[in-house]
Amino acid sequence: MNTIEEKVSQLHAGRLVDMHFDLPLGLFWNRARRNVIATDFLPELEAGNIGLLGVAIYVEDKYLPDQALRIALDQVAILHTEVEATRRLTFCRSFADIQRAQAQDRIGFILTMEGAEPLGDDPHLLQIFHQLGLRMLSLTHARTNAAASGGIFAAAGSPSDGLTAFGRQLIAECDRLGILLDLAHINAAGFEEICTLTNRPVIVSHTNVRRFYDVERNISDDQIKMIGARGGVVGINAILVSANKKEATLDRYIEHIEHVANLIGIDGVGIGFDFCEFLWRQMPVVEREELETKLTRPQFLPELSNHSQARNVTRKLIERGFNDKEIAKFLRGNWLRVLQRAL
Ligand SMILES: [Zn+2]
């Protein structure tokens, strides 16, 4: 009889896929340093058996609108320098690249963009980012931009309009180029409109369910069903598990997974940890307070606050009665299925 730790190791042998990590922003903040990934992140990624990571370009408010493109390119440039300097890492632009990374036991990065601000209002720029490796796009963060509006961190009150003409052009461009559409953060009208504009699977890279944390930034049961109907995946976020600190626990994290699985099956749920405590720690107190007022205060889970703690999720899934096949789908299989189709 295997111990539970051996079972976790077996389930992790095929590696995990996490489709949202703010690594480029972290690197940008530390751009005076070298080998930041190897020093600050690689040990945790290794400990958690992470095999594939969606790394998101994100531009802070203070650079909008004029410097957004410049900052985004800086983030991509730093990321390339870091990946080239670290043999354990590689960029993935195709499904074949993902398979090669797996075969070579390297950690693959998929370049994603959280908020279309770097594109300004020029749909042609998307193909430049595609050439730089961009393979997933969410039109908005919590803000309104030239493409669409984000859902706010409150139970009601997000802008009610859907996409702009530019936003609709971007959806068509993503379909043409093979860029996966990420519905994380977008408001309800935009979410629904994108589902009517494309027939490809759409995903939500990192979110929680409104059933347990009722803000418009999270997704409703109807939205979860829209993702399921298209063969998409909902990545479960580890920072908005509950508004209540006492209920922000690993058990509640698993309940978010169970809730999505109950609605659309285990095939519709994956990892979107969104670990960002390292950013929070680096922020000056004043800036952190400003951001918490503007958005919300994240409730970091003590048992799940960075990639080294990924085993805690797997162990808890076993304890709660998920079978090996279901757990493997959650840890990697579902994301790989969607990526194979999209790339
Ligand atoms: Zn986000």
Side-chain angles (χ1 to χ4, degrees):
M1 179 76 182
N2 289 341
T3 68
I4 195 157
E5 289 312 314
E6 283 166 353
K7 203 163 162 58
V8 171
S9 296
Q10 278 166 14
L11 285 162
H12 278 219
R15 304 286 172 180
L16 278 56
V17 181
D18 172 7
M19 280 309 288
H20 187 80
F21 191 40
D22 282 311
L23 181 65
L25 183 60
L27 297 179
F28 179 69
W29 285 1
N30 286 280
R31 58 195 178 278
R33 293 170 51 210
R34 286 289 164 266
N35 294 316
V36 176
I37 298 180
T39 317
D40 297 9
F41 299 101
L42 198 54
E44 291 174 357
L45 294 171
E46 305 267 24
N49 309 108
I50 306 301
L52 190 65
L53 201 54
V55 293
I57 298 166
Y58 174 77
V59 178
E60 296 162 271
D61 291 1
K62 62 184 171 190
Y63 298 116
L64 301 181
D66 293 349
Q67 293 183 79
L69 177 58
R70 170 65 204 241
I71 301 296
L73 291 175
D74 265 347
Q75 292 183 3
V76 177
I78 300 165
L79 199 55
H80 274 275
T81 305
E82 287 271 336
V83 169
E84 274 159 30
T86 314
R87 227 210 73 79
R88 287 284 292 121
L89 307 174
T90 184
F91 265 107
C92 295
R93 295 159 179 266
S94 65
F95 195 69
D97 287 349
I98 294 173
Q99 289 174 310
R100 194 171 312 121
Q102 271 176 339
Q104 297 175 343
D105 197 26
R106 296 166 100 176
I107 299 169
F109 286 170
I110 294 187
L111 186 64
T112 74
M113 185 183 277
E114 184 171 33
E117 285 85 355
L119 308 174
D121 57 4
D122 183 355
H124 294 111
L125 284 181
L126 192 61
Q127 61 181 320
I128 303 301
F129 278 95
H130 181 262
Q131 285 177 21
L132 294 174
L134 187 77
R135 292 297 180 269
M136 186 168 92
L137 171 70
S138 56
L139 292 187
T140 73
H141 191 253
R143 315 175 282 226
T144 292
N145 60 28
S149 293
I152 62 170
F153 288 81
S158 298
S160 59
D161 6 326
L163 273 49
T164 64
F166 169 60
R168 288 190 291 272
Q169 281 177 309
L170 288 182
I171 300 306
E173 261 311 83
C174 284
D175 277 354
R176 188 178 75 81
L177 294 166
I179 294 174
L180 188 57
L181 288 163
D182 178 3
L183 304 188
H185 286 289
I186 198 162
N187 66 348
F191 191 110
E192 209 172 330
E193 191 174 350
I194 293 173
C195 288
T196 65
L197 289 172
T198 180
N199 293 316
R200 295 187 310 143
V202 287
I203 61 98
V204 187
S205 65
H206 61 297
T207 190
N208 293 97
V209 302
R210 292 188 69 169
R211 163 83 174 75
F212 294 124
Y213 193 154
D214 187 22
V215 290
E216 295 201 326
R217 180 262 174 270
N218 287 335
I219 61 172
S220 67
D221 290 1
D222 284 343
Q223 289 175 319
I224 294 167
K225 288 175 191 162
M226 284 187 238
I227 298 293
R230 286 158 173 281
V233 173
V234 176
I236 305 297
N237 191 324
I239 67 168
L240 295 173
V241 167
S242 173
N244 177 340
K245 192 173 169 53
K246 273 212 300 261
E247 290 170 5
T249 62
L250 183 59
D251 276 295
R252 180 49 62 84
Y253 182 83
I254 304 292
E255 283 161 24
H256 284 264
I257 299 170
E258 288 171 344
H259 185 72
V260 175
N262 286 339
L263 289 171
I264 62 174
I266 192 73
D267 288 0
V269 57
I271 295 173
F273 287 134
D274 195 12
F275 292 134
C276 58
E277 202 173 6
F278 69 98
L279 295 172
W280 238 250
R281 277 199 311 261
Q282 283 178 55
M283 289 172 98
V285 175
V286 183
E287 269 184 45
R288 194 188 308 160
E289 282 169 357
E290 216 174 272
L291 199 63
E292 286 176 358
T293 312
K294 200 155 43 171
L295 303 174
T296 190
R297 175 189 288 265
Q299 301 287 3
F300 302 114
L301 308 184
E303 297 164 282
L304 189 62
S305 61
N306 67 61
H307 286 109
S308 76
Q309 295 175 314
R311 292 177 66 94
N312 293 344
V313 176
T314 310
R315 190 183 309 109
K316 190 67 89 175
L317 287 168
I318 297 168
E319 285 168 5
R320 288 181 75 124
F322 285 86
N323 67 39
D324 291 5
K325 213 172 143 191
E326 291 167 336
I327 296 173
K329 283 183 176 183
F330 169 76
L331 296 180
R332 60 185 157 271
N334 294 334
W335 280 133
L336 293 176
R337 181 194 75 230
V338 169
L339 289 166
Q340 181 166 22
R341 238 189 110 176
L343 300 189

